[in-house]
Amino acid sequence: MTLKQKNGMLKLIFFFSSIVLFSISSGCSSSKMYRKHNYHNGVVYYNNFLKISGRFFGDINFYTIGEKEIHTKFLKKNHSIKKNIILYGRAKDPKYEVIITYRENKKIKKSTDTLLLNDFKNQKVIYKKSTKGKEIKLYISAIGSHKSNLTMLRDGDKIIKSFKFNSNIEDQVQLIDIFNTYRYENNFLYLLNKLDQAPINTKQRNQWLNFQLYTTILSNDTSNKRYQELIKKYDSKRTQNLKKITEDVLATISNHPNKKGVLPQIKNVSKHKKVVMLNENHWSPNHRIFAHSLLPILKENGFNYLAIEAVNKDQDSILNERGIPAKSTGYYTREPYFGIFIRKALALGYHIVGYDDDVSNNREKAQAENLIKIIDKDPDAKIFVYAGIDHILEYNPVKKMMAGYFKELSGINPLTIDQVEIIANTNADTILLESKYFNQSELINSGVDYFLINTIKPNLKKVYKENTVFLFSSEEKTLKTYKNEDVLVSVFLEKEYLKLKNNSIPIKNKILSVKDNTIELELPEGNYRLKIMDGNNKVILSKEINHHRSK
């Protein structure tokens, strides 16, 4: 399962691509406050505080704090522009900078669309749009050398004419569009705040979509109370629906105890298999922890490829060469336990392959064909496939899934283990059940070989040697001004951070409600980068920490 924008958006003349909003650390407080209310629905820019809206072209990317510095020609002689900036971006073809400023002044009486400047020598254009008491200015300046100002004039004219004052487009703004606009922000607390504050009528919010978006974001910190409440509500409903059948099955197998445990069982049944498929919910880090535990035993059985749906296909060769995951590796792989899973696979010598295809008309078949290509290229390949939710169903009465196509096209019968379908309250972290026990249940799709009940509670002790994980505590005076506010605390491996900077994946995230200046986290021994950001995307602190037991 992948969260995507609506296909119809691609047909529009104006649209945003990978848009992020720009916010600067200096300037007047009013413009800073205005920028907090900027939104995009994938097509239209909208500020719900100022009630203004406008359209841009798809090759204009807008930036947040720290991503780009403003080196625009306009600021060299006119620093007053900076205090009124509400948007700053750069177009790719042709290359130019875009600035939107906003100001209010009672002296502004006329409603106008005006070209204020066409400076060919310095390759700059300025447009103004005004109404009573309000004014927007659009500044466009060339990056590099242009043959003429013609394109900038044409683009600027369309952009400024699209802007509207006293605009209300709240009904057009959808939660999924806001998510897709900000999803690649390094600060997921900022994304969370954007969704919380989105100008969307509560009645318009789809509960199932809400659940998926919020749990996916909050899964970056499974200790978060909000995440736990959402998961508990979801799990309790599913647990109750399956209670009778799961209790009956668990009672049946209790009469035939298998003392070997889950991992030895899987090692045994996978020994002569060429392909093992395991699935996950994209908001469940405990599924990644179990996948992590499978890596060594499958390696012992000769498995040498790890095919991950969530890894971007254009990033897998880079990932294997670099030897460490990065945020550019994929969206879901940015979550700390997913990053740890990938690091372990690379350390064990797995070759990682991205195999998803969300462009094809038949995604399931395309995924299967991409997996078969691995075997065609390397007949000795043994593949551990890590997929999303239903893709591993060998049989599905409604729609043929990836595993079904793979089995049909390759002639290879994969070992399929589903850890998504069965939710139950058990004392054991994991229980492996043959799917035959659930064949008669209408509530369960038993088109796999095994079901795994996974009740693992995410904790770094599950993926690191337990005796190496202990409490890190630090007093940070910079938190003094954030009392009673939420901040995001992230911990990165220092070696990775020095190499990848903002592209690195943390091993720990925590949304901290600041009570005092103290930070307490359980971490493995090592050298790390501690980074703290606020809900407005400002970096509060970034420093190296050495976490070792005192001798």
Side-chain angles (χ1 to χ4, degrees), residues 332-373:
Y332 297 114
T333 58
R334 298 157 72 101
E335 186 273 315
Y337 287 100
F338 214 138
I340 292 168
F341 170 52
I342 291 174
R343 287 187 193 94
K344 181 70 171 180
L346 290 166
L348 288 172
Y350 281 90
H351 185 83
I352 295 178
V353 180
Y355 68 92
D356 195 12
D357 187 338
D358 57 5
V359 177
S360 171
N361 291 330
N362 189 335
R363 184 185 176 201
E364 303 298 327
K365 186 177 181 182
Q367 285 187 348
E369 289 171 339
N370 286 334
L371 292 171
I372 292 168
K373 286 176 185 177

Side-chain angles (χ1 to χ4, degrees), residues 273-277 355 364-373 375 383 385 390-396 400-417 435 445-450:
K273 287 289 186 178
K274 195 168 183 64
V275 176
V276 170
M277 295 183 178
Y355 68 92
E364 303 298 327
K365 186 177 181 182
Q367 285 187 348
E369 289 171 339
N370 286 334
L371 292 171
I372 292 168
K373 286 176 185 177
I375 297 168
I383 311 170
V385 180
D390 287 340
H391 296 298
I392 70 162
L393 292 174
E394 297 178 54
Y395 171 74
N396 185 35
K400 186 180 288 187
M401 306 305 289
M402 174 271 289
Y405 277 110
F406 178 83
K407 190 173 181 178
E408 177 187 280
L409 298 173
S410 69
I412 297 170
N413 183 15
L415 173 66
T416 48
I417 305 171
S435 63
N445 189 329
S446 55
V448 292
D449 295 314
Y450 289 89

